[in-house]
Amino acid sequence: MSSSLKHLVLEMSVGMFAYVLLLGILAFLFQNGLAGIGFLLKPVLAGLFCGFAADVLMLIHMAFVTEKAADSQNEAYANKMTVIQSVIRRIVFIVILFILGSRPQIDAVAMIIGALGLKAGALLQPLVHRTFFRDEGSAPGESTIEERRTVYGNDENSDDSSRA
């Protein structure tokens, strides 16, 4: 896996951890309410952690599959491989969910909610990148538009899609 992809996986993992940490804090604060509807704190926290661990493993698998698909430079192969690997990833998650969720120490609902952290990690990645992993070469006030101009050219009209 390339270093930039490893860095992206790390940034997304930080966002996923922040999501699960927030949910864990909320579960702790509302543990009496959770207990009132039949959810104990320890199994909920264990389920959230298992969901986070599953997310990290799925993210690493997606990174490897994406890199392999891009390296193949064959569109048909890349399409087929990513679909097959996606189905395998989902089946493995469901099997692990049934195995771990059948144990009384791990709450299956919390594991599913914890596994939704992959989406949160993707949404929080730009914020995590700007906050913790700012490139030394970029100016502190550099905006996204300036970054796009640097990467894609200095066409000032390319940033406004409403102009014809």
Side-chain angles (χ1 to χ4, degrees):
M1 192 165 24
S2 69
S3 64
S4 63
L5 199 54
K6 286 180 187 177
H7 197 70
L8 182 63
V9 167
L10 175 65
E11 290 173 355
M12 286 183 65
S13 296
V14 170
M16 293 182 321
F17 182 74
Y19 167 80
V20 170
L21 183 65
L22 176 68
L23 289 178
I25 291 169
L26 289 173
F28 181 76
L29 292 175
F30 296 109
Q31 63 182 322
N32 292 335
L34 286 172
I37 57 174
F39 293 101
L40 299 176
L41 181 63
K42 286 184 183 180
V44 168
L45 293 178
L48 289 173
F49 175 75
C50 288
F52 170 72
D55 273 351
V56 171
L57 293 174
M58 287 189 288
L59 181 61
I60 291 169
H61 183 254
M62 282 188 270
F64 278 115
V65 168
T66 302
E67 192 166 58
K68 187 175 178 182
D71 288 345
S72 74
Q73 296 184 353
N74 182 344
E75 184 179 351
Y77 170 76
N79 233 353
K80 189 168 148 185
M81 184 185 65
T82 54
V83 168
I84 290 170
Q85 293 297 323
S86 173
V87 170
I88 291 171
R89 198 170 38 250
R90 289 176 189 177
I91 290 171
V92 168
F93 178 73
I94 290 170
V95 167
I96 290 174
L97 177 67
F98 278 119
I99 292 170
L100 294 179
S102 65
R103 311 237 185 265
Q105 298 89 357
I106 298 173
D107 186 40
V109 174
M111 187 173 167
I112 292 170
I113 292 171
L116 294 175
L118 196 57
K119 305 245 185 255
L123 292 171
L124 291 173
Q125 185 272 330
L127 178 68
V128 170
H129 178 74
R130 284 191 305 266
T131 305
F132 298 111
F133 300 103
R134 182 183 309 270
D135 295 334
E136 287 78 29
S138 65
E142 186 176 277
S143 68
T144 306
I145 293 174
E146 292 299 320
E147 184 177 329
R148 272 193 240 135
R149 287 184 180 152
T150 304
V151 173
Y152 299 111
N154 201 13
D155 184 9
E156 295 193 19
N157 293 329
S158 64
D159 295 325
D160 189 9
S161 61
S162 63
R163 293 184 190 170

